[in-house]
Amino acid sequence: MPVSRLQIVIVAAASMALAFVLAAYIYSAQREDAIRAVSEAEDSPLEREYSVSEGPADARVVLVEFFDPACETCREFHPYVKKLLAAHPGKVRLVLRYAPLHQGSDTMVLILEAARRQGRFWETLEVMYATQPQWASHHQPRPELIWQFLPDAGVDVERIRKDMRDPDMMAVMHQDLADGRVLGVRRTPQFFVNGKPLLSFGRRQLKSLLDSEVAARY
Amino acid sequence: MTAGRRTWSILFICWLLVTGATLGSLFFSEIMELPPCSLCWVQRIFMFPLAIILLVGLFPPDGSVVRYALPLALCGVATAVFHVLLQFGLIPESASPCQQGVSCADVSLALFGFVSIPVLSLAVFSAVAGLLYHSTRSGCQ
């Protein structure tokens, strides 16, 4: 009876597909609740005293970005995030947190922290993103190549080499990694707007979440 | 070559198992975002095609699909045995083909304390290999 066999297989396939979709939905909803419970709490670990921040201190909207200097999507999103900030002047503060998930990214984080001591964090980040294709190939990451580009950021390279060995820098990176784990950051960039995680990733989604928070607070 | 009712049922059960395993593995990687290690990838390479090949063998019923499916299942059993032994520490990690990234010896999920993902993989590959072999034996039609 080929027809009834076909029906059996169709029903089985549909049931398995349905089970998959249901399980995915339930799992995602639970995960989202778990993340929100941490990120929207009063004492959420979204921002630390030491965290890099740009924008007015009294801005009512805080955009937190967990980023990896070696991540292509972070590189691609960086100008877009700046554009979003410029669209709401004085209303949004950007907080950057490190999520060095790629091999070699930890070196970049330490360099950024060391450059920060020279007041050159943003310049150094720009240089890193601009030269990322050269030092961050996933098949063969070569973080040492960054050194030849660092002078473009106007930093004292020798001082960076010395400062990045400071255990305080390592402590910052480990704290950010630990906070990222608690907040469910598994991919970069991961955004939070006033504690709300951007779970459906994309430019449009980020813009609408940010716009709605700005509209709600101002 | 056609397939008798019993052979068809066995092929159907095998297809259910491998399709369930395929969807489960995609759930682990895409929904739970557990990154697959290199040995996981090798097992996926043997598992995913089974879901297609066995389905093709069901319509019209074709028992000769076992000739193509059984080698894949056996390769899956071999890889899964290696992976399980590695996870239980019976093979030193230095003997594993893993590179940086995700270690194959890490246990990212364990039901009841010992049912890790490679254990699930081994269970499905063994069941499918056993069933497929059984379906070829004489007296089975």
Side-chain angles (χ1 to χ4, degrees):
Chain A
M1 319 256 165
V3 176
S4 73
R5 280 177 174 176
L6 186 61
Q7 284 168 340
I8 292 170
V9 171
I10 289 174
V11 168
S15 314
M16 286 193 283
L18 187 68
F20 183 89
V21 171
L22 266 179
Y25 178 77
I26 293 169
Y27 179 85
S28 306
Q30 282 178 351
R31 188 168 125 77
E32 184 175 339
D33 287 347
I35 293 174
R36 279 182 192 280
V38 178
S39 69
E40 291 178 2
E42 281 291 313
D43 56 346
S44 95
L46 270 176
E47 186 178 5
R48 298 276 170 190
E49 255 171 57
Y50 62 74
S51 298
V52 181
S53 164
E54 190 179 65
D58 61 346
R60 290 183 217 159
V61 177
V62 181
L63 171 63
V64 179
E65 177 186 355
F66 279 83
F67 80 105
D68 181 337
C71 146
E72 301 96 332
T73 314
C74 299
R75 173 179 191 257
E76 205 187 299
F77 258 71
H78 185 62
Y80 186 68
V81 169
K82 296 203 134 180
K83 216 172 91 185
L84 286 179
L85 293 181
H88 303 288
K91 295 178 180 170
V92 183
R93 191 163 59 83
L94 173 67
V95 173
L96 286 186
R97 303 294 305 272
Y98 304 113
L101 306 176
H102 288 98
Q103 209 207 356
S105 301
D106 44 349
T107 309
M108 299 301 149
V109 169
L110 296 176
I111 291 174
L112 280 171
E113 274 298 297
R116 216 172 135 198
R117 285 206 181 164
Q118 303 177 29
R120 295 258 170 215
F121 176 88
W122 296 100
E123 293 83 348
T124 308
L125 184 60
E126 295 292 344
V127 168
M128 267 180 196
Y129 276 149
T131 59
Q132 189 196 64
Q134 291 161 71
W135 56 262
S137 149
H138 286 311
H139 307 292
Q140 199 186 11
R142 294 177 66 194
E144 71 278 4
L145 289 183
I146 191 65
W147 293 104
Q148 67 190 77
F149 303 117
L150 280 181
D152 297 348
V155 290
D156 177 344
V157 176
E158 281 317 303
R159 234 180 90 201
I160 286 193
R161 283 188 194 274
K162 205 168 83 232
D163 284 348
M164 66 187 280
R165 287 197 291 266
D166 185 334
D168 286 355
M169 313 249 158
M170 198 64 104
V172 163
M173 183 167 76
H174 285 299
Q175 185 63 58
D176 275 20
L177 276 169
D179 290 345
R181 264 194 297 275
V182 174
L183 289 159
V185 175
R186 293 175 186 167
R187 292 175 179 183
T188 51
Q190 173 69 55
F191 296 97
F192 294 85
V193 183
N194 281 351
K196 295 193 174 74
L198 182 77
L199 291 173
S200 159
F201 185 77
R203 287 182 183 219
R204 213 182 52 240
Q205 292 91 325
L206 176 62
K207 184 178 184 323
S208 71
L209 180 60
L210 192 74
D211 288 350
S212 72
E213 278 302 307
V214 170
R217 305 284 170 137
Y218 284 96
Chain B
M1 188 173 161
T2 56
R5 181 187 263 179
R6 188 158 166 212
T7 304
W8 191 88
S9 304
I10 291 176
L11 292 179
F12 174 62
I13 292 168
C14 289
W15 175 76
L16 279 180
L17 286 169
V18 298
T19 307
T22 297
L23 289 174
S25 121
L26 289 172
F27 188 85
F28 291 140
S29 66
E30 303 310 307
I31 309 297
M32 295 178 72
E33 297 179 16
L34 300 172
C37 77
S38 58
L39 279 175
C40 293
W41 271 111
V42 174
Q43 287 160 80
R44 289 171 146 215
I45 287 163
F46 297 129
M47 182 71 80
F48 293 5
L50 280 170
I52 312 283
I53 295 176
L54 288 171
L55 182 63
V56 172
L58 290 176
F59 301 105
D62 178 7
S64 63
V65 72
V66 174
R67 285 186 55 220
Y68 310 101
L70 191 53
L72 284 172
L74 290 174
C75 291
V77 169
T79 317
V81 164
F82 182 75
H83 198 176
V84 168
L85 291 178
L86 191 73
Q87 274 199 342
F88 285 87
L90 298 170
I91 295 176
E93 206 192 339
S94 57
S96 83
C98 302
Q99 297 173 359
Q100 10 83 1
V102 193
S103 164
C104 296
D106 281 353
V107 180
S108 43
L109 181 121
L111 303 167
F112 319 115
F114 73 98
V115 184
S116 63
I117 295 172
V119 170
L120 289 170
S121 157
L122 178 59
V124 172
F125 276 128
S126 314
V128 168
L131 284 169
L132 289 177
Y133 177 72
H134 180 70
S135 75
T136 62
R137 288 176 57 193
S138 57
C140 214
Q141 49 166 334

